[in-house]
Amino acid sequence: IWSQETGQNQKYGVVVVISTTGNGDAPENGSRFVRYLKRKTTIEAKPLQHVAYGVLALGDTNYDQFCASGVLVDKKLQECGGERVRPVAKADEATGLEEVVEEFIANIIPLLAKACASGSSEASSTSDTASSISKSDIIEEKKIEQENTDVRVQQLESKVKMQPTPNNQEKQQETPNGPKQDEGTIKNDTSSASSSSTDLLSNKGVTLVRQLLASLDSQHSNGMEKDIPIVHPTLPSLGSSLSSCALVDDKYTEKNSANGVPLSEMERMTVSSTSSSNIHYTLSHPYESTILSATYLTKTPLDGVTKASEAHCKCIARGNRSTKNEQDLALSTAIKHIEDSFPLMESPSNSHTENNCYERNGKRVIEMTLSLPDDFTLEYQPGDSIGLAASNSLHATEFVLSLLRDKHNISRSQLVSMDAQEPIKVEDMIRDHIDLCSPIKNKKILVKLAQHATDEEEANTLNLLASSDPIGRELFRVLIDEQRLTPVHVLQLFPSCQTISINGLVGILPSIPPRYYSICSSPLKEKANTSLSVAFSVVDYITPELNIKGKPRRRVGGLVTSYLEAVCSPLIGGCTTPTSFSNPKVKIFPKPSVDFRLPSSMSTPMILIGPGTGIAPFIGFLEHRQAQNKEKQEGSATASKSISEGTWRGGFEIEEEEVSHSKNTLAPLRNKDQTNLGTIDVYFGCRHKDHDWLYERKMKDFKEQDIISNLNIAFSRDNKTKQYVQDKIKQNVDRVIDLIVHKNATIYICGDGNAMAKDVQEAIKTALEKKSSENTLEKLTIEKLKEDNRLILDIWS
């Protein structure tokens, strides 16, 4: 329809929102569209000459191909005849998408409306250079903007003395608002870093913000509270809802579904249609996998999981007599035992603990083995990841269910249809479908909650926190962001917002994002390919201290990882399990990798760089190479045996005496594949040799078996001088350059993208530049290596 004339010099308005994946690639659901735009025939046909467009590109400056797909689409849309109404907007996940996204949303419709109505746009005259801002420009702009914000905050610290409100003499008292809860776990909550009555969430949100405002003003350093400045929302108050829902009559049956076919069956059939790509399970339709085994990869004491497993086993021993409440209590108790066993900061109960133990207590890594379907409908390759479907914590779920019951008379068993899908119970929707437990990053959630607040001061406080005012930004940073507050926390701190309806919650909260874990096993290694292994760090940390007297720091546990540590406690090292013990289950689905694959040829050398849990996929690589090597050896032995012992040819056996050869002439045949194996250099880094050298025994075994050619380990906390993997690369620069330049090695980097990946690439870049200046060889750059798929990254922020 875009190619048709609209008449009266009008145009069609098009908005493109596109992310960048892999090494500058378009997302899977947009790849066909990008290929269409890139075709020479498409560009020549100018099919978009009646289109005005704007592009919002989503990316991450931790990757060098920042917003590459968006920039490409923006360029090609113009080449195909489209009229650009504004430069491509580039939103950076590393520093926060919100500012760029919100500005784009606020302005794109008016710009398109003007262009579509008149057939021209002032914005279209913007030069192409505006859409090709470099990554360094983006980072520098963010840095300058932050510096300017800091200056404005300092300037306004003494200007937030507001006029007293009518209720100024009747400050709200600090009344308890339920026990303090943090991000919790998948089905239960974790305790705080302090059980003091001065816990953060025992306050009202308005009181906290008043105290924080006073702390910003040196003239109010005596701890007095300040009034909340009145601001107007800077984010749009209206907008499309993320989802919608409708309560359904209890008499609803599946016969109401289209054509008499249950929606669940229709969805299952839809998923099975993807079998041509070997994807039978998705986030919407995951596989229920059994946790077969689990172990700490770190040298972590087992006291905590032993106590936790005892709590589990007592409940399990009751068998069918144990109620859901008892099971939930057992899980909550198990999590509490683990927390108590691993203090992260000094308190009266653990004052005897050595300081270096706190750091180690917060560094716990678990390897978990999961079952796969017996019918091989979930297959994987080294380099792939597994997605795990998450649920909200028990505390968050029960809080919202109580809110809906008390405020709206909605029971947990009431049926509800979400986005016109098959009805489910309200409890299931609240637990599994809307994200109650992720820290708030999108300020629009605060704006929406402010609209539901029945208390004017609470509404104004939320609008301040969501505003672009320098004071509002600073308050959001120290209270919402640094304290990792979730939607449930905000509902607790601002109770007048609890009037929000079930449709209101569904409309402002996104779905629960899955958690992805790199597979650290090989399908050739695992028996019958019916299991796989993943490794993950247990998220457990203390938030920064609020500048408010008497407010302790909060302990935050990962939603999924804390839960997994607790339910795996009987498997990690706990008690003797009762006969009724059933291994826990999780819902998983595959996430195939596009680029993060072993080289097609076994003769290609590899440099594997993966500190911390970044080593996980490389263990899968090494196990795969080990299994391949074994198969090659067995194949060579069989071939050489067939020559030396005789081979059937047309009914005649050729005996060894009739073949002119010796043991030496057979040796190349036996070892041909081995001599062509590429070398593998491994670079691993951790803090302490005696605590978090993950897979130490396996690495040493691989080295002894010559699977690993060179093993380089960096420990960053064992010596006065910190040493990292990039330092090891610099120490071995001649070998690294020889492998890259002369042996055509492939380099893999996995792990932290904020610092490590950048530092490693910089070390390689410096070495390549030095090598190029010393000889006349063609200049080899980081960009060229990536273009040739010889430098492959799997990094995260």
Side-chain angles (χ1 to χ4, degrees):
I1 188 174
W2 294 349
S3 60
Q4 301 175 7
E5 292 189 20
T6 60
Q8 299 180 353
N9 202 30
Q10 293 180 337
K11 292 180 180 290
Y12 297 99
V14 175
V15 176
V16 178
V17 181
I18 185 168
S19 62
T20 298
T21 64
N23 194 27
D25 303 317
E28 184 177 353
N29 63 353
S31 58
R32 185 177 177 184
F33 176 61
V34 173
R35 289 197 302 271
Y36 166 76
L37 292 178
K38 291 168 64 176
R39 290 177 191 154
K40 184 178 179 181
T41 53
T42 303
I43 295 173
E44 292 174 348
K46 296 287 188 282
L48 305 181
Q49 56 186 313
H50 305 299
V51 167
Y53 72 90
V55 176
L56 172 60
L58 309 178
D60 188 334
T61 48
N62 288 314
Y63 294 80
D64 64 302
Q65 301 292 329
F66 177 58
C67 289
S69 293
V71 171
L72 175 65
V73 167
D74 180 73
K75 177 182 177 182
K76 294 301 178 183
L77 286 173
Q78 188 177 51
E79 291 179 1
C80 290
E83 178 187 345
R84 179 193 293 128
V85 302
R86 57 156 294 153
V88 58
K90 299 179 182 180
D92 184 8
E93 174 68 23
T95 57
L97 300 171
E98 189 171 274
E99 282 191 39
V100 174
V101 171
E102 294 298 345
E103 184 275 330
F104 182 87
I105 292 173
N107 295 304
I108 189 61
I109 298 302
L111 289 171
L112 284 175
K114 180 178 179 180
C116 291
S118 64
S120 64
S121 170
E122 295 177 4
S124 64
S125 63
T126 304
S127 67
D128 291 352
T129 57
S131 64
S132 58
I133 303 172
S134 69
K135 181 179 70 171
S136 59
D137 293 335
I138 295 290
I139 296 173
E140 186 62 26
E141 287 178 10
K142 295 288 185 181
K143 181 179 179 182
I144 294 172
E145 181 179 338
Q146 182 61 49
E147 290 174 350
N148 291 339
T149 297
D150 294 341
V151 171
R152 290 196 298 270
V153 169
Q154 293 174 5
Q155 292 173 342
L156 289 175
E157 281 181 350
S158 60
K159 295 182 180 180
V160 289
K161 301 176 181 178
M162 309 305 296
Q163 294 297 322
T165 62
N167 298 325
N168 193 35
Q169 303 302 321
E170 298 177 3
K171 303 285 188 182
Q172 294 188 30
Q173 299 299 312
E174 298 182 10
T175 55
N177 195 26
K180 181 261 173 206
Q181 309 293 343
D182 58 18
E183 286 182 271
T185 63
I186 193 169
K187 288 191 177 177
N188 215 316
D189 57 287
T190 58
S191 62
S192 64
S194 170
S195 58
S196 168
S197 60
T198 57
D199 187 5
L200 178 68
L201 296 181
S202 66
N203 290 91
K204 293 292 183 66
V206 172
T207 302
L208 282 173
V209 172
R210 282 175 175 159
Q211 293 172 336
L212 286 171
L213 281 170
S215 71
L216 289 177
D217 190 345
S218 59
Q219 296 183 22
H220 289 73
S221 58
N222 56 2
M224 293 176 60
E225 298 177 8
K226 295 195 65 176
D227 294 317
I228 308 296
I230 298 174
V231 298
H232 297 287
T234 55
L235 297 177
S237 59
L238 298 177
S240 60
S241 298
L242 295 178
S243 297
S244 63
C245 68
L247 296 175
V248 177
D249 191 287
D250 290 338
K251 297 180 180 179
Y252 177 92
T253 61
E254 287 198 332
K255 69 181 181 181
N256 297 95
S257 302
N259 301 321
V261 180
L263 288 174
S264 57
E265 181 64 16
M266 293 172 65
E267 291 174 353
R268 187 196 65 78
M269 291 188 294
T270 301
V271 172
S272 66
S273 68
T274 65
S275 58
S276 60
S277 60
N278 291 324
I279 300 178
H280 297 264
Y281 300 99
T282 64
L283 175 59
S284 300
H285 300 270
Y287 170 68
E288 189 173 62
S289 173
T290 300
I291 302 177
L292 301 176
S293 64
T295 184
Y296 279 127
L297 293 176
T298 44
K299 311 296 192 301
T300 301
L302 299 181
D303 298 359
V305 290
T306 298
K307 293 178 181 178
S309 63
E310 289 171 354
H312 269 305
C313 294
K314 286 179 181 178
C315 182
I316 294 168
R318 287 176 51 80
N320 295 331
R321 293 175 297 162
S322 63
T323 64
K324 181 179 182 300
N325 286 340
E326 288 175 328
Q327 294 168 7
D328 291 338
L329 178 61
L331 180 58
S332 177
T333 303
I335 293 173
K336 185 66 167 59
H337 281 315
I338 292 174
E339 274 201 354
D340 291 344
S341 298
F342 300 117
L344 301 184
M345 58 185 294
E346 186 175 348
S347 68
S349 61
N350 60 42
S351 57
H352 61 281
T353 305
E354 296 182 12
N355 287 333
N356 64 350
C357 287
Y358 299 133
E359 176 196 337
R360 298 180 185 223
N361 286 345
K363 183 66 175 178
R364 309 192 297 279
V365 179
I366 294 174
E367 182 186 68
M368 182 172 65
T369 301
L370 305 171
S371 68
L372 294 178
D374 294 334
D375 59 1
F376 304 102
T377 52
L378 200 165
E379 298 179 320
Y380 73 94
Q381 297 182 48
D384 286 347
S385 299
I386 278 291
L388 192 149
S391 297
N392 288 309
S393 70
L394 173 65
H395 162 73
T397 302
E398 290 299 323
F399 177 84
V400 173
L401 288 174
S402 297
L403 179 154
L404 295 174
R405 180 197 63 210
D406 298 340
K407 304 293 184 180
H408 303 285
N409 198 29
I410 297 176
S411 70
R412 64 177 64 220
S413 60
Q414 171 74 54
L415 292 179
V416 61
S417 175
M418 190 171 179
D419 294 329
Q421 297 295 312
E422 182 180 5
I424 57 177
K425 291 182 180 180
V426 168
E427 179 178 9
D428 294 333
M429 187 190 75
I430 298 301
R431 183 185 61 241
D432 299 326
H433 290 274
I434 59 174
D435 190 359
L436 302 173
C437 296
S438 290
I440 293 175
K441 295 294 183 182
N442 190 343
K443 291 183 178 181
K444 189 175 288 187
I445 292 176
L446 301 180
V447 174
K448 293 288 187 180
L449 289 176
Q451 295 172 14
H452 291 276
T454 57
D455 182 275
E456 184 177 352
E457 195 169 23
E458 287 192 357
N460 189 50
T461 303
L462 287 168
N463 283 328
L464 174 63
L465 290 167
S467 72
S468 58
D469 181 275
I471 290 295
R473 289 187 181 187
E474 181 68 5
L475 290 171
F476 181 89
R477 182 184 68 82
V478 299
L479 180 60
I480 305 296
D481 189 31
E482 289 188 350
Q483 295 304 311
R484 317 299 287 166
L485 298 191
T486 69
V488 166
H489 292 148
V490 173
L491 286 169
Q492 289 177 316
L493 289 169
F494 301 91
S496 75
C497 298
Q498 294 176 17
T499 56
I500 189 170
S501 65
I502 186 171
N503 212 26
L505 285 171
V506 170
I508 67 174
L509 297 180
S511 57
I512 306 173
R515 273 55 172 175
Y516 293 104
Y517 303 105
S518 297
I519 298 174
C520 56
S521 57
S522 164
L524 299 181
K525 181 84 171 177
E526 302 293 343
K527 294 182 179 180
N529 196 20
T530 56
S531 67
L532 59 79
S533 297
V534 297
F536 60 88
S537 292
V538 178
V539 177
D540 192 7
Y541 60 94
I542 299 293
T543 63
E545 188 172 3
L546 272 177
N547 191 22
I548 299 177
K549 184 178 181 180
K551 295 298 179 288
R553 300 168 69 184
R554 298 182 60 243
R555 182 170 185 169
V556 177
L559 180 67
V560 174
T561 57
S562 296
Y563 166 76
L564 290 175
E565 184 178 32
V567 298
C568 288
S569 57
L571 303 174
I572 293 175
C575 61
T576 302
T577 56
T579 55
S580 58
F581 175 76
S582 178
N583 286 39
K585 298 180 182 294
V586 290
K587 297 177 180 179
I588 64 173
F589 59 94
K591 185 178 185 294
S593 172
V594 177
D595 299 315
F596 209 75
R597 290 272 185 255
L598 283 165
S600 57
S601 172
M602 291 177 63
S603 63
T604 302
M606 292 187 288
I607 302 175
L608 310 180
I609 306 166
T613 52
I615 196 65
F618 300 143
I619 295 299
F621 279 20
L622 294 166
E623 285 191 354
H624 204 72
R625 178 58 60 85
Q626 183 184 47
Q628 287 177 323
N629 192 23
K630 183 178 179 181
E631 287 181 352
K632 293 290 184 182
Q633 288 178 327
E634 292 174 351
S636 297
T638 301
S640 59
K641 182 179 180 181
S642 67
I643 291 178
S644 61
E645 295 184 355
T647 304
W648 284 98
R649 296 289 175 84
F652 295 92
E653 187 178 77
I654 302 175
E655 298 297 340
E656 184 171 354
E657 297 83 16
E658 297 173 297
V659 179
S660 177
H661 69 272
S662 66
K663 291 182 179 180
N664 290 333
T665 60
L666 288 177
L669 176 63
R670 294 191 181 103
N671 299 318
K672 180 179 179 180
D673 294 303
Q674 280 186 283
T675 56
N676 288 335
L677 284 178
T679 59
I680 302 178
D681 285 23
V682 173
Y683 290 84
F684 172 75
C686 62
R687 293 187 174 186
H688 304 284
K689 179 179 180 180
D690 62 351
H691 178 68
D692 52 344
W693 183 351
L694 312 181
Y695 295 107
E696 177 183 2
R697 184 65 265 163
K698 276 193 175 183
M699 289 188 198
K700 291 179 177 178
D701 289 344
F702 286 138
K703 182 66 174 66
E704 291 175 2
Q705 299 167 21
D706 291 329
I707 302 299
I708 293 178
S709 306
N710 286 278
L711 180 59
N712 305 277
I713 311 294
F715 304 108
S716 63
R717 299 296 189 275
D718 284 347
N719 299 301
K720 291 182 179 180
T721 302
K722 295 181 179 180
Q723 191 173 59
Y724 300 100
V725 286
Q726 57 266 29
D727 298 315
K728 286 290 185 179
I729 291 173
K730 294 173 183 176
Q731 293 173 12
N732 295 279
V733 64
D734 290 339
R735 176 173 174 81
V736 170
I737 293 303
D738 180 62
L739 287 171
I740 297 174
V741 176
H742 303 295
K743 305 292 177 58
N744 293 316
T746 299
I747 310 159
Y748 297 85
I749 304 174
C750 183
D752 169 41
N754 286 327
M756 181 277 298
K758 295 176 182 177
D759 292 339
V760 167
Q761 291 181 81
E762 187 61 32
I764 296 173
K765 177 183 176 182
T766 301
L768 289 173
E769 289 174 346
K770 180 180 179 181
K771 186 68 176 178
S772 298
S773 65
E774 293 176 353
N775 54 54
T776 58
L777 291 175
E778 179 185 355
K779 186 176 181 180
L780 193 60
T781 64
I782 291 290
E783 290 71 25
K784 177 63 175 174
L785 289 172
K786 290 180 178 178
E787 183 181 330
D788 295 341
N789 217 33
R790 290 180 53 204
L791 175 55
I792 307 172
L793 287 74
D794 181 8
I795 60 178
W796 53 83
S797 300

